[in-house]
Amino acid sequence: MPDTPLLDLVHEPQDLKLLSIKEIKQVCDELRAETIDAVSVTGDHLGAGLGVVELTVALHYVFNTPHDRLIWDVGHQAYPHKILTGRRDRIRTLRQPGGLYGFTKRSESEFDPFGTAHSSTSISAGLGMAVARELRGEKRNVISVIGDGAMSGGMAYEAMNNAGSMDARLIVILNDNKMSIAPAVGALNAYLSRLLSSHTYRSLREIAKHFSKKLPRPVGEVARKAEEYGRGMVTGGTLFEELGFFYVGPVDGHNVDHLIPILNNVKDDETPGPVLIHVVTEKGKGYEPAESSSDKYHGVAKFNVVTGEQKRGASKAPSYTNVFADALIKEAERDEDIVAITAAMPSGTGIDKFAEAYPERAFDVGIAEQDELGLATGLAMQGMIPLIQAWAPFTPLRNFDQLRTYLCRHDCNAKIIGWALGLVNNSHGTTHHDLESIALYRVVPNLTVLTAFDDDQFRLAFDAAMSVDGPVVLLGQPEHYAPGADGLEKIALPPQDEFVIGRNQWARRGADFSLVTYGRALGYAWAAADRLEAEGIGAGLINVTSIKPFDEGIIEEAAGAARALLVVEEQSVLGGIGSAVAEIIAERGLE
């Protein structure tokens, strides 16, 4: 446990206001040490939180949270926030059963006004809260912190466009931890940011705008353009200005001497319109192993604080990631029309390996799943064969319109490899469970939906998917997201020479009843069948590998040979495989 004498005095954000700026700096050091130590025990997101330590302290020091609404986009940078807001005593239960949630969660704390787990949503939510404040005549600040790639999502720009047009009073903190917008950070820029955020400057600017309107139109237009051009050259904020935001920055996000005066300037300013403060930070800041890592320790296993060495256990789950990467590269060698697309997750999905072999044919669209499918549709319509690596809980949930209306209605030849089907390990929380995708995929026209239980079956399923001249989804569960299944190592599936779309597989026969299942759930069902067999009850097992089209014949066979059919799946009861089986039984009048 780190030595944290000042942090020990902070039980809620109001306690920070009793400290001097010098003491605030020490709190930042202690908070960073506490965050590192806590995540070393629990694992998972670290780098993003280390990058916003000073920003987190400054926000809580200046604003009156929770009355002022502080919204974190995504939420994986919120561990320092949790420590400061009364949850320090539970911080080492992060992502554990019964412990703290891995992101922000409304039911967990009044300091979490918005629940998150995916990106690009904070500005929309903040805008809604700001509009509600105005309608109710309340006085409170609303602050949305967005960054770490979330600005690549189109929803963020839609919200900014709306905020600018509504002239809503909203404070947006752009946490730029890749220096992707403007690298100019230092004393001069900090001084300019303080000046630009001050009431005096803003008053002068409003006077200038008003004066330019009184000038003859050509002269007034030149004056306005000159003012905007000057600000754009100094600060790089032209884009945000055009969206209707008052831009402040860039400012060093690790210097509280710079941050606190700027936040104080915008805190109680009643000038209409949204403000964007551009804060430049370093992901993994203050922990050498994170700073030197390529991903800045975005997500880690439990680790040794001194050495940074991570303690990863061996996984028993199928290694679909490597299988997919190898199969994709092999296909690309054969067919130069094959391209690969990912939405900000190249590493750990196989796309990174493909990109090493074929960099010009690999595309990372950022956290923009809608664009991912739109790009794939355009590529397919021009004869290319896009393979999309998709995170199953967010595809098709975040791009259903593009999937249904464009990719599939036009019967485009594209393949979606969906990771994390069903339940993911506990640490990722409810938002990352994929319990609805099969119900959604089943209603989409022209779409073939496949899944596989193990590596060998996945290879066959991939080959089958590539043989289809049309859209195909192949669902799997990569090893690093699997909670594990009892009995997995005991299963010996009947050998398969080919994967036939529209045909499912008897994994084992049983005279009394049959279990219908697929994917990882087959492991649970197999273990149950073993226990039943030991008690003299014969349970058959149908492994559903072709979800759409579904094998109706095997269900009719099973219904005629057994007293009952039971469906085991990690999906919604409404619309899942259970629904498909019930539909077949009803349509064919089976009993």
Side-chain angles (χ1 to χ4, degrees), residues 60-310:
H60 283 297
Y61 180 77
V62 170
F63 291 98
N64 182 29
T65 56
H67 177 76
D68 289 335
R69 306 302 195 211
L70 176 57
I71 303 166
W72 296 94
D73 207 288
V74 184
H76 57 215
Q77 74 278 58
Y79 297 168
H81 162 78
K82 287 178 184 267
I83 292 171
L84 292 179
T85 54
R87 288 169 276 184
R88 186 185 180 189
D89 61 337
R90 294 181 288 154
I91 198 64
R92 286 166 182 78
T93 68
L94 274 167
R95 298 173 175 265
Q96 307 302 310
L100 292 179
Y101 188 50
F103 307 94
T104 56
K105 188 175 185 179
R106 295 185 68 205
S107 61
E108 186 178 284
S109 172
E110 62 179 340
F111 289 93
D112 295 354
F114 184 65
T116 58
H118 201 49
S119 81
S120 314
T121 59
S122 64
I123 302 177
S124 291
L127 178 59
M129 293 181 188
V131 170
R133 173 199 62 207
E134 298 301 321
L135 291 173
R136 290 185 167 187
E138 298 172 341
K139 289 188 69 70
R140 71 171 85 241
N141 290 286
V142 179
I143 310 101
S144 297
V145 184
I146 185 168
D148 196 29
M151 285 298 287
S152 62
M155 186 176 175
Y157 293 96
E158 293 174 15
M160 293 183 74
N161 182 60
N162 285 334
S165 64
M166 292 179 184
D167 216 21
R169 179 65 189 156
L170 171 68
I171 300 169
V172 173
I173 309 291
L174 171 57
N175 173 33
D176 175 11
N177 58 22
K178 294 182 180 179
M179 300 183 71
S180 58
I181 297 175
V185 178
L188 177 59
N189 277 281
Y191 167 75
L192 289 171
S193 297
R194 288 184 62 176
L195 172 63
L196 294 172
S197 64
S198 68
H199 295 280
T200 303
Y201 177 86
R202 299 193 68 173
S203 298
L204 289 172
R205 187 171 182 232
E206 292 303 317
I207 292 171
K209 282 187 175 181
H210 179 75
F211 180 68
S212 68
K213 292 177 182 178
K214 302 295 184 182
L215 295 173
R217 184 177 178 85
V219 180
E221 187 66 15
V222 169
R224 184 183 69 84
K225 289 292 185 183
E227 190 269 348
E228 290 182 354
Y229 180 71
R231 278 180 53 74
M233 287 187 65
V234 173
T235 65
T238 303
L239 169 64
F240 304 111
E241 290 279 353
E242 291 298 328
L243 287 170
F245 277 71
F246 186 91
Y247 174 89
V248 178
V251 61
D252 184 350
H254 299 298
N255 190 326
V256 293
D257 288 326
H258 296 171
L259 285 171
I260 289 174
I262 293 170
L263 294 176
N264 271 318
N265 281 339
V266 301
K267 175 184 176 183
D268 296 316
D269 187 357
E270 296 183 359
T271 305
V275 176
L276 184 138
I277 303 174
H278 178 184
V279 175
V280 179
T281 63
E282 181 184 355
K283 194 171 181 179
K285 175 71 173 179
Y287 185 51
E288 196 281 329
E291 291 180 348
S292 60
S293 171
S294 60
D295 68 349
K296 304 294 183 182
Y297 272 40
H298 175 78
V300 294
K302 298 176 183 180
F303 63 94
N304 183 299
V305 173
V306 176
T307 65
E309 181 183 0
Q310 298 184 45

